[in-house]
Amino acid sequence: MPTFVHLWGNTCDSAPAIGKPCVTSLTMNSTRVIYVENDSALRQFLQESLDRHTEIEVIGTYADGISALNRAVAKKADVALIDFGLDTDGLNGIELGIALREINEYIGIVIYSQFNVRKMVNRALVLSSNQNLLIASQLPMVD
C-alpha cells in the first residue's frame, strides 16, 4: 500500500487557513539503493534478495569502488550498501562511503564485512569523524 505525505506550501488553489495544512497527497518513492560488492556470487544473491522488496529499487550494482563513483547514479541514491574489503588496489568501503558523501551529502552509507571488523571500525572512526557517519560494529548474526 502506498504511503502518502501531506505538504504545507503554496501548491493549493487558494491559501490555506492559518495553522491548516495545504493538503496535497503524493505517493512516496521507493528507497533507491546502490550496492557495491566485489564477489560476483554475493552481489547476485543480494541483488535477487533486494529485488523481492517492492519498496526497494536497486539503481546500481558495482564490483569495485571506482565504478561506483558514477555521479549521476550516486546523486539519485538514498542508500549505498558497501562491502568493506572491496579492492586492495582501489578504494575500500570506508573510503568509498566518504567519496559518495562528497557527491551526495544525503546518501545513507551501510558498510559491512563478513570478517572481524575491529580494525575496520577503528579506522572508520578516524576517517569518518568529519563525515557524520554512524559506525556500528559487533552486530548479532541473523539466522
Side-chain angles (χ1 to χ4, degrees):
M1 175 152 190
T3 303
F4 294 95
V5 175
H6 300 288
L7 302 175
W8 294 83
N10 57 4
T11 58
C12 292
D13 293 334
S14 60
I18 295 176
K20 301 288 182 180
C22 170
V23 179
T24 304
S25 295
L26 299 175
T27 301
M28 294 294 293
N29 294 330
S30 57
T31 301
R32 294 164 298 199
V33 175
I34 60 175
Y35 177 47
V36 189
E37 169 60 62
N38 60 343
D39 182 310
S40 61
L42 187 54
R43 191 170 54 250
Q44 181 178 351
F45 171 76
L46 189 56
Q47 171 79 44
E48 292 169 1
S49 297
L50 293 173
D51 284 345
R52 289 187 211 134
H53 297 277
T54 58
E55 67 277 10
I56 296 173
E57 177 186 2
V58 177
I59 61 172
T61 60
Y62 304 98
D64 61 80
I66 300 300
S67 299
L69 291 175
N70 179 326
R71 293 186 73 77
V73 176
K75 283 190 171 285
K76 294 177 185 175
D78 299 310
V79 177
L81 303 176
I82 306 170
D83 178 15
F84 171 74
L86 286 177
D87 192 356
T88 56
D89 297 330
L91 299 173
N92 68 30
I94 297 168
E95 294 161 338
L96 176 58
I98 292 170
L100 287 170
R101 270 286 170 86
E102 293 293 322
I103 296 170
N104 176 351
E105 66 182 302
Y106 302 107
I107 192 170
I109 304 294
V110 178
I111 300 170
Y112 63 90
S113 179
Q114 61 183 328
F115 303 106
N116 185 334
V117 296
R118 186 167 306 281
K119 288 182 182 177
M120 176 186 80
V121 170
N122 290 337
R123 184 172 179 203
L125 292 174
V126 171
L127 289 173
S128 67
S129 60
N130 293 323
Q131 298 295 322
N132 297 319
L133 298 178
L134 176 62
I135 309 298
S137 65
Q138 305 290 330
L139 296 175
M141 296 298 292
V142 177
D143 291 329

